[in-house]
């Protein structure tokens, strides 16, 4: 290229500036693109599986940095070998977890679960529309459920599991005649918990695998 | 007769490392050395070109062993136990953190590769690398004597076969500029950034532009994420995930493309950059790892990793005939510098020096 020609990377920079000034792209579009792709990136836990043996050697104390560098070089052969073994083990574990995740996802896809089972599923189980709003909650959302007024829900769909406290909470939040559906791979193991909580007509549904219980139409919460 | 035998983890067809290894074997034989290739695994089609590394037996003459290092392999552990003087040609290893989340098994193999290189380093007569970037990594791994030695790539072979039907298909669907990247679909090659650049380029300049991503993948997760990202950006139909292609199809892609784009975060050399120059394509790339060095001033190399800058860079090179022609001329020079006959002469000189 002739020496007098403008630096092309400067021209590119100017062109990007022009596009942004003219509003061809919204402000912060690159950050938004990066965030959009980051949402598709596997969980951070896998990134964290990598341990870096190159510890920083900066120091605020005079002579601290050279001392740290000396220590690092003296211990490097030992730490490096240990960290490499740990990293190999971590990477293998992370791979196994990722593999399991992929298999679970495939299993869930193959199970051909219907679209989010809310009112429709409850309606079909109850033989009519649920007597109030339906909440779908996943494991870990017990706090949200606890915030709701008692007797406020016509239906509750729980995904991911059940324990004694959650069963009692469900019983309290359901309006008379309302029903709870617990989705899970082996719903039968939780059946006793719904009975203990005072729900009736407890049944295990095969497809999708779910557990259903109803709050009696009348009676104290 | 002096022997220089090469050891390689995997000998694969249509692979730069494999092609380099076989070219080097032929060159060594031409120079009067006894030379064989020993591998842990020969991919289909390469069985006749190498022997299992366990079948290596030392001959009577002076013998050197040359390891083609690119990933963790039992071959390196085997070489560690051999008493013969050794050399390594370092094709570089993908830094594990770049692929850890997507391909943990590749990251693990990379970690093993680095560890093996560090163990081999003190016993090496010399370490050779195709770029100064990789040469620095060799030195960091503890190799005392390092040299840059060119990768033996027959660029003319890339254009020798052309799949005319594939070229017709590509041209039939053309509605704007066709951008191309060639390389394994992997997070360290950052094809998702190219998808973002395509989105920006279509929005700002050319709604009919397409992106062709040529290259296979080892794990589906990054490939799926790239496809989904393209879908979310509304450009899925303009992104061609071509996968692994035949030599004829590869030539068709190079012939059809208007520009070669590269956003890789790590490349020890990157042969497709040279192939693009060989086909006269303008190259727009992010300045990372050995990319700028391989291009040697023959491409538009951008600082940072901005998809908008990549899009603007493509617009600039496609819209400015003078710039495109000067890049093309610089590309021809670069290709001539790294052409096979010259590369062979340099390699022989470097090898003689290393073995002395």
């Amino acid at each position: 290229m002739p020496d007098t020609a403008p630096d092309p990377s400067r021209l590119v920079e100017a062109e990007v500036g022009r596009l942004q000034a003219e509003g061809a792209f919204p402000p912060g579009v690159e950050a938004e693109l990066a965030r959009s792709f980051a949402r598709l990136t596997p969980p951070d836990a896998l990134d964290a599986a990598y341990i870096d043996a190159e510890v920083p050697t900066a120091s605020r104390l005079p002579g601290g940095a050279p001392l740290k560098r000396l220590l690092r070089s003296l211990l490097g052969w030992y730490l490096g070998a240990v960290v490499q073994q740990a990293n190999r083990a971590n990477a293998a574990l992370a791979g196994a977890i990722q593999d399991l995740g992929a298999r679970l996802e495939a299993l869930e896809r193959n199970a051909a679960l219907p679209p989010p089972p809310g009112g429709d599923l409850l309606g079909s189980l109850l033989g009519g529309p649920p007597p109030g709003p339906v909440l779908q909650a996943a494991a870990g959302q017990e706090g949200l459920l606890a915030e709701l007024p008692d007797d406020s829900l016509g239906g509750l769909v729980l995904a991911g599991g059940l324990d004694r406290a959650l069963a009692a909470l469900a019983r309290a939040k359901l309006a008379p005649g309302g029903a709870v559906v617990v989705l899970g791979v082996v719903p039968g193991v939780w059946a006793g918990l719904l009975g203990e909580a005072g729900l009736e007509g407890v049944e295990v549904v095969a497809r999708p695998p779910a557990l259903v219980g109803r709050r009696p139409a009348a009676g104290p919460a | 007769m002096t022997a220089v035998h090469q050891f390689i983890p995997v000998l694969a067809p249509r692979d730069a490392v494999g092609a380099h290894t076989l070219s080097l074997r032929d060159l060594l034989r031409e120079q009067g050395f006894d030379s064989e290739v020993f591998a842990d695994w020969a991919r289909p089609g390469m069985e006749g070109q190498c022997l299992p590394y366990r079948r290596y037996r030392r001959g009577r003459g002076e013998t050197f062993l040359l390891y083609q290092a690119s990933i963790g392999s039992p071959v390196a552990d085997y070489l560690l136990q051999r008493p013969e003087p050794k050399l390594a040609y370092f094709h570089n290893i993908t830094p594990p953190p770049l692929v850890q989340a997507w391909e943990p098994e590749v990251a693990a193999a990379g970690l093993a590769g680095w560890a093996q290189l560090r163990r081999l380093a003190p016993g090496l007569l010399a370490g050779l690398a195709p770029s100064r970037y990789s040469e620095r990594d060799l030195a960091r791994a503890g190799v005392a004597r390092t040299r840059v030695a060119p990768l033996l790539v027959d660029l003319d072979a890339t254009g020798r076969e052309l799949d005319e039907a594939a070229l017709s298909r590509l041209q039939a669907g053309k509605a704007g500029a066709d951008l191309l990247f060639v390389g394994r679909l992997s997070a360290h090659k950052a094809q998702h950034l190219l998808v973002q650049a395509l989105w920006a380029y279509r929005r700002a300049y050319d709604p009919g532009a397409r992106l062709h991503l040529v290259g296979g993948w080892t794990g589906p997760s990054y490939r799926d994420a790239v496809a989904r990202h393209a879908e979310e950006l509304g450009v899925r139909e303009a992104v061609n995930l071509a996968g692994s292609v035949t030599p004829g199809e590869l030539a068709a892609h190079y012939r059809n493309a208007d520009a070669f784009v590269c956003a890789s975060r790590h490349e020890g050399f990157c042969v497709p950059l040279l192939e693009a120059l060989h086909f006269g394509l303008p190259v727009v790339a992010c300045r990372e790892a050995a990319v700028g060095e391989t291009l040697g001033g023959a491409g538009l190399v951008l600082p940072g990793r901005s998809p908008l800058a990549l899009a603007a860079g493509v617009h600039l090179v496609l819209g400015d005939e003078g710039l495109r022609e000067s890049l093309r001329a610089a590309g021809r020079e670069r290709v001539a510098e790294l052409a096979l006959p010259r590369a062979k002469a340099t390699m022989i000189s470097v090898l003689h020096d290393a073995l002395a």
Side-chain angles (χ1 to χ4, degrees), chain B residues 291-302:
Chain B
V291 168
E293 185 187 341
T294 299
L295 284 170
L300 178 50
V301 183
L302 302 169

Side-chain angles (χ1 to χ4, degrees), chain A residues 48-53 78-94, chain B residues 100 108 111:
Chain A
Y50 180 76
I51 302 165
D52 192 352
Y78 178 78
L79 285 177
V82 173
V83 164
Q84 276 156 23
Q85 290 175 59
N87 275 333
R88 287 177 77 167
N90 286 351
L93 274 173
Chain B
Q100 173 67 35
L111 281 171

Side-chain angles (χ1 to χ4, degrees), chain B residues 223-240:
Chain B
R223 183 230 177 254
D224 291 349
V226 169
R228 200 153 148 212
H229 193 44
E231 207 167 294
E232 287 174 356
L233 295 178
V235 296
R236 181 63 188 92
E237 287 184 1
V239 175
N240 172 21

Side-chain angles (χ1 to χ4, degrees), chain A residues 1-2 8-9 11-12 15-16 18-20 23-26 29-30 33-34 36-37 39-43 46-50 84 87-88 90-92 94-96 98, chain B residues 96-97 100-102 104 108 111-112 115 118 192 196 199-200 203-205 222 225-226 228-229 232-233 297 300-303 306-309 312-313 315-316 323 326-327:
Chain A
M1 265 174 280
S9 61
L11 293 176
V12 167
E15 174 65 4
V16 171
R18 182 190 73 77
L19 288 171
Q20 285 173 330
F25 296 101
V29 65
E30 290 191 314
L33 286 170
S36 156
F37 187 72
R39 282 195 287 272
L40 302 173
T41 304
L46 296 184
D47 284 329
Y50 180 76
Q84 276 156 23
N87 275 333
R88 287 177 77 167
N90 286 351
Q98 199 174 36
Chain B
Q100 173 67 35
W102 300 94
L111 281 171
R118 278 191 281 265
H192 66 278
Q196 294 173 2
W199 171 82
R203 186 175 163 128
Y205 309 110
Y222 182 70
V226 169
R228 200 153 148 212
H229 193 44
E232 287 174 356
L233 295 178
L300 178 50
V301 183
L302 302 169
S306 155
L308 297 193
H315 173 66
L316 187 69
L323 174 63
S326 65
L327 286 175

Side-chain angles (χ1 to χ4, degrees), chain B residues 30-324:
Chain B
E30 283 167 24
Q31 295 293 313
F33 292 99
D34 181 14
S35 185
E36 293 293 343
V37 175
F38 295 89
D40 181 28
W41 180 28
R43 290 258 177 93
M46 300 303 267
E47 298 89 344
Q49 300 285 354
C50 61
L51 297 163
Y53 73 94
R54 293 277 179 196
R55 280 178 49 194
Y56 164 74
R57 296 289 177 271
R58 187 177 188 166
R60 287 193 180 157
E62 191 176 19
T63 302
F64 299 89
L65 306 183
L66 197 164
Y67 179 48
Q68 300 286 347
S70 62
I71 198 157
S73 162
V75 172
D77 290 330
Y78 173 77
L79 288 176
L80 270 164
Q81 296 160 14
R82 296 296 317 175
E84 295 89 332
K86 289 178 277 287
L87 302 115
Y89 191 96
F90 181 54
H91 297 268
N92 218 306
I93 297 171
T94 304
L98 295 184
V99 290
Q100 173 67 35
W102 300 94
E103 298 168 282
E105 67 290 352
V106 175
L111 281 171
W114 284 111
Q116 288 174 331
L117 184 66
R118 278 191 281 265
R119 285 204 297 274
L120 278 168
L124 291 176
L125 279 182
L128 314 177
S131 61
R132 286 192 300 279
Y133 172 82
S134 294
E135 187 194 19
R136 280 194 292 274
D137 279 347
L138 265 179
R140 272 197 283 267
V143 181
R145 205 162 150 230
T146 61
R147 288 290 299 273
V148 172
L151 202 68
L152 303 181
V153 189
D154 185 4
L155 290 170
D156 290 331
T158 317
R160 217 166 278 150
E161 293 174 46
L162 172 67
D163 187 331
E164 297 280 359
L167 181 59
S168 301
R169 277 196 301 276
L170 287 167
Q171 288 176 338
K174 207 171 170 82
D178 274 339
L179 314 184
L180 172 68
F181 176 73
V182 177
R184 197 163 62 85
L185 257 166
S186 176
H188 72 287
K189 295 193 184 270
Q191 282 94 341
H192 66 278
L193 207 75
L194 300 179
V195 169
Q196 294 173 2
L198 174 76
W199 171 82
Y201 185 74
R202 283 166 62 96
R203 186 175 163 128
Y205 309 110
D206 182 355
R210 298 182 301 183
L211 172 66
H212 301 271
L213 297 174
V214 173
W217 49 84
T218 45
S221 61
Y222 182 70
R223 183 230 177 254
D224 291 349
V226 169
R228 200 153 148 212
H229 193 44
E231 207 167 294
E232 287 174 356
L233 295 178
V235 296
R236 181 63 188 92
E237 287 184 1
V239 175
N240 172 21
L241 298 172
S244 190
V245 298
T246 64
E249 288 167 337
L250 179 63
H253 273 284
Y254 279 120
R255 284 280 286 274
N256 170 68
D258 297 286
F260 189 90
V261 283
C262 174
S264 291
R265 290 179 69 186
H266 183 264
E267 295 284 359
F269 183 76
C270 195
V271 170
L273 290 171
L274 279 191
E275 291 174 341
L277 297 181
H278 173 72
F279 278 88
L281 283 177
V283 175
V284 181
C286 296
R287 184 180 295 132
E288 297 270 11
V291 168
E293 185 187 341
T294 299
L295 284 170
L300 178 50
V301 183
L302 302 169
R305 307 187 50 72
S306 155
L308 297 193
L310 280 168
V314 171
H315 173 66
L316 187 69
V317 295
L318 294 186
D320 184 335
E321 179 56 38
L323 174 63
R324 200 160 66 246

